[in-house]
Amino acid sequence: MSEIKFDVAGIGNALVDVIANADDTFLAANGIQKGGMTLIDATRADELYGRMGAAIEMSGGSCANTIAGLASLGGKGAFFGKVKDDQLGQVFAHDIKALGVSFPAPVASDGAPTGRCLVLVTPDAQRSMSTFLGAAQNLTADDIDAEVIKASAVTYMEGYLWDQPGAKEAFLKAARIAREAGRIVSLTLSDSFCVARYRDEFRKLVKDEVDLLFANEAEILSLYEVDIFDEALARVKAECKFAALTRSEAGAVIVAHGEVHVVDADKVAKVVDTTGAGDLFAAGFLYGLARGYSPTHCGQLGAMAAAEVISHYGPRPQVSLAELAKARGL
């Protein structure tokens, strides 16, 4: 078996987030579905960007945010995602490498520009995302470095990859390599709209190939087409070795080999922007898992990281999560 060099190898859409405030009227006027992620083309991206108010631009992408959170905790991560050699691509590559994260996928010299996610945050802190994948959709199985996957304790992938055939193949290749190397395969369902698009495929994937599942309450209810959380939890217990199910202010439920552990949410003085909450919960949980912490301890690290990120704009921590964990005795 290969030596473990990375705690987590992440595979996801490499995007730059453009975050602005908006109200429900703006969402309705522009045909934006509140609380979810919609794929858009370049023309729509330009039109919507022109209508948005003053915005903050920063590197993002669900899985990349998780790997950034892992690095902030002191973990060692690698990330596979596709960007073009343009201004936004250079920003993304600089940001991820500056965190100490390995970024082995080659940068594209031609083709679609680097992808971006237009995030509109309403006064209730909900985020509604319109995503132009751009170069991110060109990730293929050829971009996956087998040696990096073999050397990673966990391979973590975002459900959004299922929207593109090439990225889907990259996902499946990495999962196969990880399993053959005796590593953990992990999946986040990404959002309930994504689940609705690929429900049957996700169910099979979760049952047959995923060791650790991340989902929020809406996503897990959608996956199993039930209305009651406990019914979804029963299905998870029967099908998953490990699962981390987040429930916003109600905390999280961790499943580990059939046992259930409940973790309280961290208190936040004011929720500013929920962008990245699930991503950072996964970061804390994966960091703990790679170190052999108990399921509850892993969940507490996840809750701490999620609380930090929802207290400000943007999907990545603004303080050292390692220092925060130390101060909290975690």
Side-chain angles (χ1 to χ4, degrees):
M1 183 178 291
S2 301
E3 177 187 356
I4 293 180
K5 299 179 181 178
F6 302 99
D7 294 311
V8 182
I11 308 172
N13 291 321
L15 304 171
V16 174
D17 288 344
V18 182
I19 305 170
N21 290 319
D23 56 23
D24 289 344
T25 301
F26 182 91
L27 299 185
N30 287 279
I32 297 169
Q33 195 164 25
K34 185 173 181 177
M37 190 283 287
T38 302
L39 293 177
I40 59 176
D41 60 20
T43 300
R44 169 70 167 159
D46 288 341
E47 290 175 352
L48 186 55
Y49 180 74
R51 296 171 189 163
M52 291 170 64
I56 300 169
E57 297 183 359
M58 58 186 65
S59 296
S62 174
C63 181
N65 294 336
T66 295
I67 300 301
L70 177 84
S72 183
L73 280 160
K76 184 67 175 174
F79 176 73
F80 293 92
K82 201 79 169 181
V83 297
K84 187 180 179 181
D85 186 17
D86 53 20
Q87 183 177 358
L88 290 183
Q90 291 168 8
V91 167
F92 184 94
H94 172 271
D95 287 353
I96 199 88
K97 291 177 181 178
L99 296 171
V101 174
S102 176
F103 186 46
V107 174
S109 58
D110 54 17
T114 297
R116 70 290 313 263
C117 181
L118 308 181
V119 184
L120 294 167
V121 182
T122 41
D124 58 2
Q126 279 281 351
R127 80 278 189 275
S128 305
M129 300 175 289
S130 299
T131 303
F132 168 56
L133 288 174
Q137 66 190 322
N138 296 326
L139 181 73
T140 70
D142 290 340
D143 294 314
I144 301 301
D145 185 330
E147 295 308 310
V148 173
I149 299 298
K150 291 176 185 177
S152 301
V154 181
T155 293
Y156 174 79
M157 299 170 277
E158 62 182 57
Y160 288 135
L161 290 174
W162 229 247
D163 283 315
Q164 300 299 326
K168 179 178 175 179
E169 290 304 314
F171 184 128
L172 294 172
K173 174 185 175 180
R176 174 181 54 78
I177 294 168
R179 287 196 309 275
E180 290 175 353
R183 309 304 191 197
I184 294 172
V185 176
S186 181
L187 168 71
T188 176
L189 292 180
S190 295
D191 78 16
S192 57
F193 301 102
C194 184
V195 174
R197 292 195 292 273
Y198 306 109
R199 183 176 291 111
D200 291 342
E201 293 178 72
F202 279 174
R203 280 185 183 175
K204 186 175 187 306
L205 194 68
V206 167
K207 185 176 181 180
D208 297 341
E209 301 192 50
V210 172
D211 301 303
L212 169 58
L213 177 67
F214 289 92
N216 65 26
E217 186 165 359
E219 292 158 5
I220 205 66
L221 292 178
S222 178
L223 182 69
Y224 293 115
E225 296 182 283
V226 296
D227 297 321
I228 300 172
F229 178 78
D230 284 348
E231 292 181 9
L233 178 61
R235 294 287 296 274
V236 170
K237 286 174 63 180
E239 296 185 357
C240 299
K241 295 177 184 176
F242 301 99
L245 309 178
T246 55
R247 308 185 73 189
S248 300
E249 65 274 8
V253 175
I254 312 301
V255 175
H257 297 295
E259 295 185 353
V260 176
H261 309 264
V262 178
V263 176
D264 291 335
D266 271 23
K267 293 182 179 180
V268 180
K270 180 181 180 182
V271 178
V272 175
D273 173 15
T274 57
T275 307
D279 304 335
L280 268 294
F281 183 92
F285 193 94
L286 289 167
Y287 176 84
L289 181 68
R291 277 149 186 77
Y293 295 170
S294 71
T296 298
H297 192 172
C298 292
Q300 289 170 338
L301 282 167
M304 178 203 74
E308 191 284 330
V309 83
I310 65 175
S311 67
H312 56 75
Y313 284 108
R316 297 187 180 179
Q318 292 185 351
V319 301
S320 166
L321 294 181
E323 291 297 325
L324 196 58
K326 182 178 179 181
R328 291 275 304 276
L330 293 175

